[in-house]
Amino acid sequence: MTSEQVLEKASEYLPEKEVALLREAYEVAEHAHREQYRRSGEPYIWHPVQVAGILVELGMDPNTVAAAFLHDVVEDTDVTLDDLKKQFGEEIAMLVDGVTKLGKIKYKSKEEQQAENHRKMFVAMARDIRVILIKLADRLHNMRTLKHLPPEKQRRIANETLEIFAPLAHRLGISTVKWELEDTALRYLNPQQYYRIVNLMKKKRAEREDYIGEVTDDILEKLGNMNVEAEIHGRAKHIYSIYRKMVLQNKQFNEIYDLLAVRIVVSSIKDCYAVLGTIHTLWKPMPGRFKDYIAMPKANMYQSLHTTVIGPKGDPLEVQIRSEDMHKVAEFGVAAHWAYKEGKTVSDSNALETKMSWFRQILEWQNDANDAQEFMESLKIDLFSDMVFVFSPKGDVIELPKGSVPLDFAFRIHTEVGNRCIGAKVNGKMVPLDHQLKTGDIIDILTSKHSYGPSQDWIKITQSSHAKNKIRQWFKKERREENVEKGKDQVEKEIERKGFKIKEVLTNENIDRVADKFSFTTEEDMYAAVGYNGITAAQIVTRLTDNIRKKLDESLDAQSISEAVEDIKPVEKKRAKTSTGVSVKGVDNLLIRLSRCCNPVPGDDIVGYITKGRGVSIHRRDCPNITMEKSDTRLLEVEWEQGQDKQKNYNVDIEISGYDRRALLNDVLQAVAETKTNINAVAGKSDKNKMATINMTISIQNIAHLQRVVDRIKSISDIYSVRRIMH
């Protein structure tokens, strides 16, 4: 869509005044991004225009669409949040802030930065759900243009999309966005399987269309006799869902029967059940394949009747039956409730608040988590995992993560019910507290006023973050003195284990610094957190000793370098040559060793680093341990010796990525053997997307030898990349 097409589409449901607001937002964004371009070569403004276009297609309110036009100006231009507040008001500025990354803060790692970005986004989303709608539209357009990025970045973004954004779209019920995110991510994570499924679907398309046409005629004829009006469509099975079924259930494409499906949309709930009866009289239903999501909606507000019948040709046929309102929610989810209607947003805000109450848990997890990565793990467990639906004795439906136990249910009912739990009945029978619950179970929790409270083992057996956090809070509050004493003891033991003196480490100044770093108010709070497993003693001690370790590392300064060189244990020159093949310029008889972190080999650009008591360590110049941490005063110029023993071998670690097919590892091992290269170690694994990763340590003579091995491996079918790795 062009900007004019977006505004024209918006004018179909927005009054002229609101369209003028969108035009103003576009003009501000266009001016701010005027000299910026995307990797594809397109002007940068094209991206926010497409994001706004996706939200207009969902019928979103004007403030959300305006924020979509402006969502990157704070992060990527000189425009500030205060500027947006003055021109567009608090609400639009808040939405833009919610999707703006934390780009100006330095983090220890890429993972920590990404986790913190996600934490900020989810907390903003808990306060206003429109934040995530903008973010989902932003991610959807980025996925559509992913081909312009390097392969490694494509895989990282696609994997993040499958882990976080697609499940979130599912949780919000926005199936149109969810399916496109999943299919596009699969295209970059496993292109071979993606295009294989696409080709198989194309081959059978005509056959499927004829079959669905025949089924549709039969249904319409029968419904016409009942005076029930309905729209019937063939439902296309999405590529990622087919792929998941093939992987998880180990099925071939021709064994997946629900490729054949129809969707029937009627005007009322009463007609939904009438159509269901008609379908079951036309064809025989398959046992155990009927689901009533109208009486019991999914957590994302999805409602429909699902049934599978034996169709006219004897093949299973899946039928979905829903009303027009249900269909709108099924396609657009929570966005359907935020759609702009009659001058106001959210047609039923109270109902929406109730249905989306699980978002409030996000703020609770935010307060309980020690860091952003722990927060994201909690989120993945409770929001993105598969769910089970169980009942209280009164018939209330409780949603819990798959694998939950009665304790998870008890703490979800009420914190005190969990704290005083002494047993549980499932479907009228006593069960242990670690009994795994199944959908449809009726749970009755037994409590006692004389209970001693939670056990530490409960943290291990519960599955929901909600229950784990409540148990930790109990230990935090009820056993504070015991936890303080226990935590202090663990910290002191960890200090001694690492070879430091307790008195040198546990100074008041050092303790205050670390307590503040982890946001503890007092020293006792820090020890108590260690005592109830809120944080590990190792994490605390690492921070307590970082300054001491830094001083020890810097004790060998520029003035003492010459003394250090003299103190390095001399070795026979002949031995130095045969053991490493490296010499230090201008200095003889030094103990030299090749660093294991980067495993340099002849042909690599290398540098020497003077260590304390271990001679000169040889690194590749691009080794992060040199470029990130080491002082220039301790670096020495070194070179590979001429005429060295050509039979000398050097270990190199490589990582091989490819599609996990049968005999892949065998083909790789055979290819390496053909190059007359010794393999010292090999390990492999496969992820849920059928992506294989093989880590291998090989013995090579020089960089040219390594290149021959890499080229041979890359010639194997289904191998995507081969790279040299550092530790």
Side-chain angles (χ1 to χ4, degrees):
M1 281 192 186
T2 64
S3 58
E4 285 304 319
Q5 287 172 327
V6 173
L7 295 172
E8 185 179 340
K9 182 74 177 174
S11 67
E12 293 176 8
Y13 68 94
L14 292 177
E16 192 175 326
K17 180 182 176 183
E18 307 295 1
V19 176
L21 170 71
L22 300 187
R23 187 178 296 278
E24 183 183 358
Y26 164 72
E27 288 170 354
V28 168
E30 198 272 338
H31 183 264
H33 293 300
R34 63 190 179 282
E35 294 179 358
Q36 295 176 342
Y37 294 87
R38 286 170 67 81
R39 286 283 185 97
S40 60
E42 297 166 335
Y44 193 91
I45 188 62
W46 182 250
H47 170 64
V49 167
Q50 300 314 303
V51 174
I54 291 167
L55 293 171
V56 164
E57 292 282 356
L58 295 176
M60 291 302 296
D61 66 289
N63 284 350
T64 306
V65 180
F69 277 125
L70 299 163
H71 78 274
D72 273 339
V73 296
V74 174
E75 184 180 345
D76 296 332
T77 75
D78 294 332
V79 177
T80 66
L81 272 177
D82 287 337
D83 295 336
L84 294 183
K85 285 178 188 175
K86 288 174 187 174
Q87 187 165 356
F88 296 101
E90 290 278 348
E91 189 174 323
I92 290 176
M94 178 273 297
L95 293 173
V96 172
D97 186 42
V99 292
T100 300
K101 294 193 191 80
L102 308 176
K104 297 177 182 177
I105 301 174
K106 291 184 179 179
Y107 295 93
K108 289 180 294 184
S109 66
K110 180 75 176 175
E111 291 77 15
E112 184 181 351
Q113 181 176 5
Q114 196 75 326
E116 194 60 59
N117 285 335
H118 289 145
R119 165 146 80 169
K120 183 189 179 195
M121 178 182 69
F122 281 110
V123 172
M125 175 185 72
R127 298 193 178 102
D128 193 316
I129 209 167
R130 290 174 295 176
V131 167
I132 200 60
L133 297 177
I134 299 170
K135 190 63 186 177
L136 284 173
D138 172 62
R139 178 51 60 109
L140 181 56
H141 183 249
N142 282 336
M143 291 300 291
R144 288 174 178 174
T145 57
L146 205 56
K147 63 183 178 183
H148 301 292
L149 296 180
E152 189 175 330
K153 204 166 185 181
Q154 288 176 348
R155 286 184 54 77
R156 179 179 62 77
I157 293 173
N159 200 53
E160 181 187 60
T161 299
L162 271 187
E163 277 194 357
I164 293 175
F165 291 98
L168 189 56
H170 172 69
R171 206 67 162 86
L172 295 172
I174 313 174
S175 62
T176 53
V177 173
K178 177 208 171 193
W179 290 122
E180 187 174 350
L181 287 176
E182 288 181 335
D183 286 358
T184 313
L186 178 63
R187 179 179 160 194
Y188 291 100
L189 287 172
N190 199 334
Q192 186 167 353
Q193 280 291 74
Y194 174 86
Y195 288 111
R196 176 172 171 255
I197 293 169
V198 168
N199 289 331
L200 287 170
M201 289 179 74
K202 281 181 181 176
K203 287 178 184 177
K204 295 203 169 188
R205 180 176 292 167
E207 182 185 329
R208 282 201 313 273
E209 287 176 352
D210 290 343
Y211 182 76
I212 294 298
E214 181 184 336
V215 167
T216 301
D217 291 341
D218 290 345
I219 296 172
L220 283 174
E221 182 183 346
K222 197 78 172 175
L223 293 181
N225 296 335
M226 297 172 58
N227 294 321
V228 174
E229 291 187 9
E231 286 185 20
I232 305 178
H233 309 280
R235 182 183 65 82
K237 188 79 174 173
H238 294 275
I239 298 167
Y240 183 73
S241 63
I242 295 172
Y243 169 76
R244 288 266 298 169
K245 220 159 222 185
M246 290 171 69
V247 171
L248 295 178
Q249 299 178 18
N250 198 25
K251 288 185 176 182
Q252 294 300 313
F253 183 82
N254 56 8
E255 296 178 293
I256 299 174
Y257 296 116
D258 59 352
L259 290 171
L260 300 171
V262 293
R263 179 176 295 139
I264 305 172
V265 181
V266 293
S267 58
S268 68
I269 293 177
K270 177 181 147 189
D271 287 346
C272 289
Y273 288 99
V275 170
L276 176 68
T278 302
I279 298 297
H280 283 179
T281 58
L282 267 174
W283 300 292
K284 188 175 181 179
M286 291 180 67
R289 297 297 301 269
F290 168 64
K291 293 174 184 175
D292 187 345
Y293 293 120
I294 294 179
M296 192 185 297
K298 290 186 178 182
N300 61 10
M301 301 175 292
Y302 175 89
Q303 288 183 288
S304 278
L305 296 175
H306 289 197
T307 187
T308 303
V309 296
I310 302 299
K313 293 183 179 178
D315 292 326
L317 171 70
E318 186 183 275
V319 182
Q320 296 178 354
I321 308 164
R322 61 180 66 149
S323 70
E324 292 171 3
D325 287 342
M326 292 174 196
H327 182 61
K328 193 173 292 183
V329 172
E331 294 294 296
F332 304 131
V334 70
H337 290 267
W338 274 104
Y340 189 91
K341 295 173 186 148
E342 300 173 7
K344 58 184 178 181
T345 56
V346 189
S347 56
D348 186 356
S349 57
N350 290 333
L352 180 63
E353 276 294 311
T354 303
K355 290 174 181 175
M356 305 305 291
S357 60
W358 51 271
F359 266 143
R360 298 295 165 264
Q361 296 171 20
I362 292 174
L363 295 178
E364 186 178 321
W365 295 332
Q366 149 79 5
N367 294 330
D368 291 337
N370 289 316
D371 55 41
Q373 286 165 313
E374 183 182 320
F375 169 77
M376 284 308 299
E377 285 307 310
S378 295
L379 199 69
K380 287 179 184 177
I381 290 169
D382 273 18
L383 293 192
F384 301 156
S385 61
D386 292 332
M387 310 304 288
V388 294
F389 299 88
V390 296
F391 295 91
S392 72
K394 294 180 180 178
D396 297 325
V397 181
I398 305 296
E399 179 189 14
L400 295 168
K402 190 174 182 179
S404 288
V405 299
L407 284 170
D408 293 292
F409 175 86
F411 280 101
R412 185 61 59 84
I413 296 297
H414 195 278
T415 303
E416 280 306 302
V417 174
N419 287 339
R420 296 184 179 185
C421 176
I422 58 169
K425 288 182 179 181
V426 174
N427 303 325
K429 295 181 180 179
M430 288 294 297
V431 296
L433 292 178
D434 61 355
H435 172 84
Q436 283 200 5
L437 303 178
K438 298 175 183 175
T439 294
D441 284 345
I442 301 171
I443 322 297
D444 189 6
I445 299 296
L446 308 178
T447 61
S448 170
K449 292 181 180 178
H450 306 294
S451 167
Y452 289 106
S455 157
Q456 284 281 5
D457 291 337
W458 287 13
I459 296 176
K460 297 176 185 176
I461 66 174
T462 50
Q463 294 298 306
S464 65
S465 298
H466 176 82
K468 291 180 188 293
N469 289 335
K470 292 299 181 185
I471 295 165
R472 289 193 185 102
Q473 285 174 14
W474 186 88
F475 281 107
K476 193 184 209 177
K477 182 179 177 183
E478 298 294 327
R479 298 188 178 177
R480 180 173 173 78
E481 290 184 11
E482 181 183 329
N483 284 327
V484 170
E485 187 176 337
K486 181 180 173 184
K488 186 174 183 180
D489 183 57
Q490 288 179 13
V491 168
E492 289 179 350
K493 284 181 179 177
E494 182 68 14
I495 290 170
E496 290 179 334
R497 192 184 71 79
K498 290 195 176 233
F500 296 99
K501 293 180 181 179
I502 292 173
K503 287 184 178 180
E504 289 181 2
V505 174
L506 294 182
T507 62
N508 290 335
E509 182 184 350
N510 207 16
I511 291 169
D512 290 344
R513 177 180 63 83
V514 174
D516 182 63
K517 178 71 179 175
F518 286 103
S519 302
F520 294 116
T521 309
T522 65
E523 176 184 352
E524 286 190 344
D525 288 342
M526 182 179 75
Y527 289 137
V530 177
Y532 66 76
N533 295 330
I535 193 169
T536 65
Q539 286 175 286
I540 296 294
V541 172
T542 299
R543 287 290 185 187
L544 285 169
T545 58
D546 54 4
N547 286 341
I548 299 172
R549 285 184 284 112
K550 188 176 180 182
K551 286 178 182 176
L552 286 173
D553 196 45
E554 291 174 351
S555 61
L556 189 59
D557 56 16
Q559 284 74 31
S560 60
I561 289 294
S562 58
E563 297 173 15
V565 171
E566 291 175 11
D567 289 339
I568 294 174
K569 182 181 177 182
V571 293
E572 292 181 17
K573 205 168 188 177
K574 185 178 179 182
R575 183 184 165 198
K577 275 189 177 182
T578 56
S579 62
T580 64
V582 176
S583 62
V584 179
K585 292 181 181 179
V587 184
D588 291 333
N589 299 336
L590 296 182
L591 177 62
I592 299 173
R593 65 184 183 87
L594 299 178
S595 170
R596 291 183 181 178
C597 60
C598 56
N599 286 333
V601 299
D604 282 332
D605 191 9
I606 54 176
V607 66
Y609 172 69
I610 299 174
T611 63
K612 293 184 67 178
R614 292 181 297 162
V616 177
S617 176
I618 307 301
H619 293 260
R620 285 163 53 184
R621 280 196 186 272
D622 59 353
C623 176
N625 291 328
I626 290 295
T627 58
M628 299 294 288
E629 298 178 9
K630 306 305 181 188
S631 167
D632 289 340
T633 57
R634 299 172 69 174
L635 299 181
L636 294 174
E637 287 298 316
V638 296
E639 60 186 1
W640 295 105
E641 294 177 337
Q642 298 297 319
Q644 61 194 30
D645 184 356
K646 292 189 177 179
Q647 297 307 311
K648 166 70 180 169
N649 286 325
Y650 300 82
N651 284 344
V652 171
D653 295 320
I654 59 174
E655 182 179 272
I656 305 158
S657 299
Y659 169 62
D660 184 20
R661 61 168 169 79
R662 185 178 297 172
L664 179 71
L665 178 59
N666 187 57
D667 289 351
V668 171
L669 295 176
Q670 188 173 343
V672 175
E674 288 172 5
T675 64
K676 298 181 180 179
T677 302
N678 289 333
I679 300 173
N680 294 333
V682 64
K685 63 181 180 180
S686 175
D687 65 16
K688 61 186 179 183
N689 296 311
K690 299 285 282 182
M691 281 298 301
T693 303
I694 302 169
N695 291 98
M696 188 179 289
T697 303
I698 56 176
S699 293
I700 60 105
Q701 294 173 4
N702 51 43
I703 205 75
H705 181 186
L706 175 62
Q707 191 60 49
R708 286 199 306 275
V709 177
V710 169
D711 289 343
R712 179 63 187 88
I713 295 172
K714 289 173 76 172
S715 69
I716 300 171
S717 65
D718 297 318
I719 293 296
Y720 299 146
S721 68
V722 183
R723 68 185 185 97
R724 188 174 170 186
I725 57 176
M726 291 186 281
H727 300 284

